[in-house]
Every structure is written in structure tokens, then in C-alpha cells.
Amino acid sequence: MKIYRTKDYDDMSRRAANLISAQIVIKPDCVLGLATGSTPIGIYRRLVRQNQEGDLDFSQVTTVNLDEYRGISPDNSQSYRFFMNENLFNQVNIDKRMTYVPDGMEADSQAACRKYDEILRAVGPADLQLLGLGHNGHIGFNEPGDHFKKETHCVTLSERTIQANRRFFDSEEEVPREAYTMGIGTIMSARKVLLVVAGEDKAEIVKTAFFGPVTPQVPASILQFHPDFVLVADEAALSQCDLPLSGQL
Ligand code: F6R
């Protein structure tokens, strides 16, 4: 595990965006695994700017997103497909046919998972998988449980996650209870994993996930076993970890 400690959220976004753009420059037809949520917004803003300034070309890039709510259509402003279109895909020269998000509208949940796994197998392992971190240690929507689930599956969101998502919806009833998520096996098969986290409210889970035991009760803890795992975290998020104050972490 490599840790980049950054000053603040902006600094975190800059460091992470640079790692992603380096990946695209090194391999223009790379596969990027992408995440939604508040944390990556600053990264996407920077990638958009680099693209618009002519420094970054998305024309050959394929993307696979981690997750999508079940029962929400792509045009719903709360869907993750909508989020990705707004924050990245509509603003860069990516071929939208090469951007994949689980199909939230497939009525048969097993078919939805199977189809997404077929897509993931066809595009191959992500060259770089971007992740955020839930307060309960979830990655994608792999919630705490008694085992790590390998493939795409439909999850019942935990009460804590529902409450965290509440801010995006008009009422609590509208917050989806289920979501499709890429499995831990697929996340772990990415060649490189980049997890971004900022803010003091994540300090406790950062310590537990990356300095505590590896357990499905804290899904992100499995990343300790990934051969190329990079954690880009601001000082506040690392504030409970016992780390040297300077130099390579
Ligand atoms: C989103 C996702 C989630 C978020 C996590 C953190 O695609 O997979 O695991 O990364 O819930 O969300 P934020 O960044 O909003 O704190």
C-alpha cells in the first residue's frame, strides 16, 4: 500500500487526477473503473479541464462504473449514470458507447448482475480502479457482511448508507433501498486501485480499514492485500493513523 498524504480536498483531487491522467497518457485505450459520490467530483473537474485544454484524450478510453441504484432510470438526476454524464462523460471527448454502468432498470436483478459481469469480462480488468470509502468501510456498495462477494450483486443498502444518501433526495421514502454493485473480486482484479478519501468524518474508518485486520466486516480492508493499492487521503482523513509526519509514507 502506498499512501499519499495531501493537505486538503483540493490537493487530494489534484494528486488523484494526475494519477488518472498519467494512466491515460501511458495507455490511451485503458479501462478505467470509476466511482460516484462527493469525493471524486474534484477529480472529475480536473480531468475535464485537462481534456478541454487539450492535454488529455478520452477518445479511446473505456469506463466501467462501480454501481447503480436499482429501479432508477438513467435520466433520473439521482442515478449514477446521470451523475457520470454530468460530471465527466458529457464534458470530455469520450465515446459514450464505451462507458458502462449497471442497468438499474432491468427488472430481473439476477439478469442485471449477469449482464454486467459479461460486460466486465469482455472489457477485461480495469487498468485503474478509482474508489471512494463509505463511513462503514464499504467500497462500491459492498456493505459489511460475513464474506467478500466476488461478482456483481444486488445489495440491500445498510441504514447508515441510506441515511448518508438521504441528502440527495427530497424525502427519505425516495432514497433507494437496493443497488447493484461490482463485486470485491472484480475490484481486486484491477491492475491498480486508487482510493480517495477526505475529511475528519472518515478518519476512524480509514484507520480501521487500512491499519486494522482484513475482514468482510470492513470491506475496504481487503485492499491491504492488493499488490498496487494507492491511498490518496487528506490530513484530516489520516488524522487517527499513526504515520510519520513527513517523507514517503
Ligand atoms: C459510489 C460508491 C461509494 C462511495 C462511498 C463514499 O460509486 O461506490 O462506495 O464511494 O459511499 O461516498 P462519498 O464520496 O460521497 O463520501
Side-chain angles (χ1 to χ4, degrees):
M1 167 166 71
K2 195 183 275 176
I3 304 175
Y4 291 139
R5 177 173 34 213
T6 69
K7 231 175 30 251
D8 52 21
Y9 176 80
D10 271 351
D11 199 19
M12 178 213 79
S13 304
R14 186 178 51 81
R15 284 300 275 271
N18 287 346
L19 291 171
I20 297 172
S21 50
Q23 174 64 68
I24 299 174
V25 170
I26 289 166
K27 189 178 174 194
D29 61 347
C30 63
V31 177
L32 297 179
L34 297 178
T36 60
S38 1
T39 316
I41 289 176
I43 298 174
Y44 294 146
R45 241 178 239 146
R46 283 168 187 276
L47 294 177
V48 166
R49 198 183 316 144
Q50 291 179 21
N51 178 255
Q52 290 175 352
E53 287 171 353
D55 292 330
L56 195 59
D57 177 19
F58 280 84
S59 62
Q60 297 177 64
V61 171
T62 298
T63 66
V64 287
N65 259 80
L66 284 168
D67 39 22
E68 180 59 284
Y69 290 124
R70 183 174 182 205
I72 274 195
S73 90
D75 336 311
N76 184 313
S77 61
Q78 298 309 326
S79 76
Y80 286 175
R81 162 56 77 180
F82 191 94
F83 174 101
M84 290 310 303
N85 287 347
E86 287 284 298
N87 286 285
L88 187 66
F89 303 151
N90 287 347
Q91 301 191 60
V92 297
N93 67 329
I94 201 162
D95 179 348
K96 280 239 195 89
R97 290 167 304 181
M98 284 156 65
T99 67
Y100 300 99
V101 179
D103 180 1
M105 291 309 282
E106 165 63 67
D108 175 347
S109 67
Q110 283 184 356
C113 296
R114 200 180 52 245
K115 283 185 201 160
Y116 202 55
D117 277 334
E118 279 164 17
I119 291 168
L120 296 172
R121 269 193 295 276
V123 304
D127 293 291
L128 184 153
Q129 174 68 56
L130 175 66
L131 298 174
L133 179 66
H135 287 103
N136 60 1
H138 74 214
I139 45 176
F141 272 136
N142 291 278
E143 299 282 21
D146 52 17
H147 64 286
F148 293 109
K149 294 206 174 124
K150 283 197 264 192
E151 299 183 323
T152 303
H153 53 284
C154 182
V155 283
T156 302
L157 301 177
S158 71
E159 198 47 44
R160 192 150 185 206
T161 302
I162 291 168
Q163 289 313 324
N165 292 341
R166 167 72 183 83
R167 65 192 196 275
F168 302 115
F169 293 84
D170 291 336
S171 67
E172 189 166 335
E173 293 66 56
E174 285 175 52
V175 188
R177 267 39 189 180
E178 288 181 310
Y180 296 115
T181 183
M182 194 186 271
I184 294 286
T186 308
I187 292 171
M188 288 295 281
S189 72
R191 297 196 167 98
K192 185 182 201 74
V193 175
L194 168 61
L195 188 140
V196 287
V197 58
E200 209 176 337
D201 57 312
K202 298 270 177 82
E204 194 179 335
I205 191 62
V206 166
K207 182 178 182 194
T208 309
F210 306 122
F211 299 92
V214 173
T215 160
Q217 293 301 332
V218 186
S221 65
I222 189 86
L223 298 171
Q224 294 182 44
F225 289 157
H226 192 281
D228 190 2
F229 170 46
V230 180
L231 172 64
V232 182
D234 74 351
E235 279 171 10
L238 289 173
S239 58
Q240 290 191 24
C241 304
D242 198 11
L243 295 169
L245 281 175
S246 61
Q248 178 73 41
L249 299 174

